[in-house]
Amino acid sequence: MGHRLSPDAIATLLSNPKPDSLSDIPEIIVQITKLEPKGKSYGFDANDGKMKIKAIFNSRLSSEITSGNIQNLGLIRILDYTVNEIPSKSENYLIITKCEVVSPAPEMEIKDEIRKEEAGIIFKPKQEHEIKIEVKKEPSGILLKPKREMATKSAAQIVHEQHRNMAPTARMAMTRRVHPLVSLNPYQGNWTIKVRVTSKGNMRTYKNARGEGCVFNVELTDEDGTQIQATMFNDAARKFYDKFQLGKVYYISKGTLRVANKQFRTVQNDYEMALNENSEVEEASNEAAFIPETKFNFVPIDQLGPYINSNELVDVIGVIQSVSPTMSIRRKSNNEIVPKRDITIADETKKTVVVSLWNDLATNVGQELLDLADNSPVVAIKSLKVGDFQGVSLSTLGRSIVQINPDTPESNKLRCWYDSDGKETSMASVGSGLSPSTKSGARSMYSDRFSISQITSNPSLGGDKPAFFSIRAYISFIKPDQSMWYRACKTCNKKVTEAVGDGYWCEGCQKNDTECSLRYILVVKVSDASGEGWVSVFNEAEKIIGCSADELDKLKSEKEGSSYQLKLKEATWNPHLFRVSVAQNEYNNEKRQRITVRAVAPVDFAAESRYLLEEISKMKDSP
Amino acid sequence: MDTSSPAIFVNGESLQMYVGKKVRSVVQVIKSDGGDMIGKSTDEHQWTIKGLSSAPLMSYVEVIGVAESNQSICAELWTDFGKTFDAYSYNQLCQLANGEFKALFL
């Protein structure tokens, strides 16, 4: 060891608890012992060979520790510090604000020089015994720190001991020092973790330029709730696939860590783990209660916007509003048929969202949900991908976990809300709302703004594929004589035909229903300062007319038809923001422009004013 | 619509151009002072609005009246616009209406 501890370093620190300037501080080198995480920072006992003092690193230095630069049993030179007294305990503690690493961990905690030469294993009686010493097969033959007090031993001595002492299984089974997931890093391979498998992916086969293989991954969670993804390929995958079971707890060591590929990462961890055939995985017995169950991080439905098309997965919890029957979808990639089921859930934000359940979740869990649907159960789902179908859509993955009516505080809170308010509240789909709070929604009503005449005067718009625009316009006319609605299946909203006997037949769901719902399909004239045009509207018309198609139909069939006319009149000359698609249709051998409303949002006058001011200044700037 | 005596959109900096003329502006009610009101224009000038004592505090009100000085208006009509109002946009409107687009307004 080149550097030595500064004699009486602790005494020196205590004699000058709050140094005035950096130059005031003499050379102070101490050893770090008992390094452990304390919230965002790390605490330790500073050792000067004679005395010890409780210490803590400034949280800014935490990265130095997690990267392995500052290590337990290593030596540091203290460059800036403060000593505080805890009055209630009449104890001092040292805060390190600046330091530099003098040397990494030697083999042991430095007592005084004499002890070093002793052979054999020295155990400090009050601490845990740790016999496990790993000898890493590195070219330089460095002996790695075992993190416990040990006397110096030659490599030969240790290898001999390893062979002599315990069989591997017994060795693993002894009380071992378990590392929190948060402390793992790629620069230190000597760790054991104790984790629960909170998600297990399916075994996937792949073929690439280098050949074929199989791979699967698991999500591991430790006692603190930290998560990390572990991946296994080929032999390791085959070795551990059956061993890892969802929900069970394992001791794992000899894995490797890498910085996680942000594109593919699904858990919040800068690192990801890989296990190979040499990694060790051992089931921990009797540990059922030790690690908290699946940890959820729920995102309220109206805050799903920012996650759209991101790789980060979300968890949601909501009350079931509807469950569709199982649908069979053909995967374009391999022509495989997979089962899918759509459920609609709602939460206290008064928004609904559709969650697509795939594979097993569609058939098994989905069936359970269908059976329970009338009771409006609470469902909590972990690890969903957020897509943009119909604004916002959620999709399950292999790793997703669905819990029905879980006994958790969030579930109970949701249940209470639903039973008191929620049941009666009318909810809006989070996708179609496009309120300014949803990032994607606000963006689309102010992007690709066109005037009506810009659309109608350009017949080539939407030739290849539909073009999307947003417009601000007034409803100028709704023809009262058109059919306004179509008969729709209550489950999948597709058109139904009258069944042979009673009721209606849905081709998509392949079933009969005595009732159907009415859904809007109509044309409406819109006008703005530039011109006017006809647009097709579907069920978004509810926002324009102010009532559902069922309700409007009731008004229409009233003997005295004036309330129907009045409803349409009230809808006229109201301004709205529309998101429209423009496409070309052939009609009687003529190409016709067809404008369809995709979304409707109320005009936010303040935002609209700002937009107009911007447009005015743009016009002034351009020649 | 009676277009015989149009009221000019003004803010703090433009009021001085129209002393003695009929103007309109939106002010935020700061306090009531006897029979008058102290209001803040959309560009942070402090004005005295005469003849307007009952406006709710901190509300935005539109005032139409004759400009008495570059800091006071004698109100003939007023309307409560409520507590939410985009003063920035209104201020920009006043600048444009008195600047390059004056011809559109007068």
Side-chain angles (χ1 to χ4, degrees), chain A residues 278-484:
Chain A
N278 296 323
S279 305
E280 287 170 3
V281 173
E282 196 189 294
E283 198 178 319
S285 48
N286 304 325
E287 297 287 4
F290 131 82
I291 291 182
E293 294 293 300
T294 316
K295 189 167 179 239
F296 286 97
N297 239 328
F298 295 120
V299 176
I301 292 179
D302 70 349
Q303 287 173 32
L304 288 171
Y307 294 93
I308 294 179
N309 291 331
S310 147
N311 275 311
E312 200 173 330
L313 304 179
V314 299
D315 307 338
V316 293
I317 187 168
V319 181
I320 299 273
Q321 303 290 92
S322 66
V323 180
S324 79
T326 318
M327 302 171 257
S328 296
I329 310 286
R330 189 181 288 276
R331 276 220 191 288
K332 285 207 182 99
S333 51
N334 55 4
N335 255 349
E336 226 178 76
I337 305 245
V338 285
K340 170 186 158 185
R341 199 189 288 259
D342 283 340
I343 63 172
T344 307
I345 59 171
D347 70 1
E348 292 123 312
T349 63
K350 302 202 187 141
K351 293 268 183 256
T352 64
V353 68
V354 176
V355 182
S356 299
L357 307 172
W358 294 89
N359 292 305
D360 285 340
L361 290 176
T363 41
N364 303 330
V365 175
Q367 185 61 46
E368 225 183 302
L369 288 173
L370 185 63
D371 296 333
L372 292 171
D374 290 330
N375 301 331
S376 308
V378 172
V379 66
I381 315 179
K382 185 165 180 70
S383 308
L384 289 165
K385 193 136 169 40
V386 187
D388 60 4
F389 182 64
Q390 297 200 321
V392 183
S393 61
L394 298 173
S395 231
T396 59
L397 305 168
R399 62 181 54 231
S400 303
I401 298 177
V402 178
Q403 288 183 356
I404 307 177
N405 286 325
D407 189 14
T408 61
E410 294 96 341
S411 167
N412 294 328
K413 200 161 114 179
L414 203 57
R415 173 97 268 143
C416 275
W417 163 77
Y418 192 72
D419 289 338
S420 52
D421 293 325
K423 258 196 299 218
E424 315 301 318
T425 326
S426 62
M427 321 242 204
S429 157
V430 64
S432 64
L434 292 176
S435 58
S437 59
T438 319
K439 257 204 290 195
S440 58
R443 213 175 36 219
S444 60
M445 283 307 186
Y446 289 94
S447 57
D448 318 305
R449 263 298 175 97
F450 259 30
S451 66
I452 294 182
S453 65
Q454 276 179 298
I455 297 177
T456 52
S457 63
N458 188 351
S460 63
L461 284 176
D464 292 327
K465 55 173 189 164
F468 284 79
F469 307 101
S470 48
I471 60 175
R472 173 169 60 93
Y474 288 82
I475 304 285
S476 44
F477 184 54
I478 306 176
K479 235 189 326 192
D481 294 335
Q482 59 182 315
S483 55
M484 297 287 191

Side-chain angles (χ1 to χ4, degrees), chain A residues 32 35 68-75 101 104-105 145 147 188:
Chain A
I32 300 170
L35 181 63
N69 215 10
I70 297 178
Q71 297 169 358
N72 192 32
L73 300 183
L75 302 185
V101 175
K145 56 228 165 299
K147 289 206 170 359
Q188 193 211 69

Side-chain angles (χ1 to χ4, degrees), chain B residues 60-71:
Chain B
Y60 289 90
V61 297
E62 186 193 44
V63 170
I64 302 177
V66 177
E68 286 211 334
S69 72
N70 64 346
Q71 279 179 68

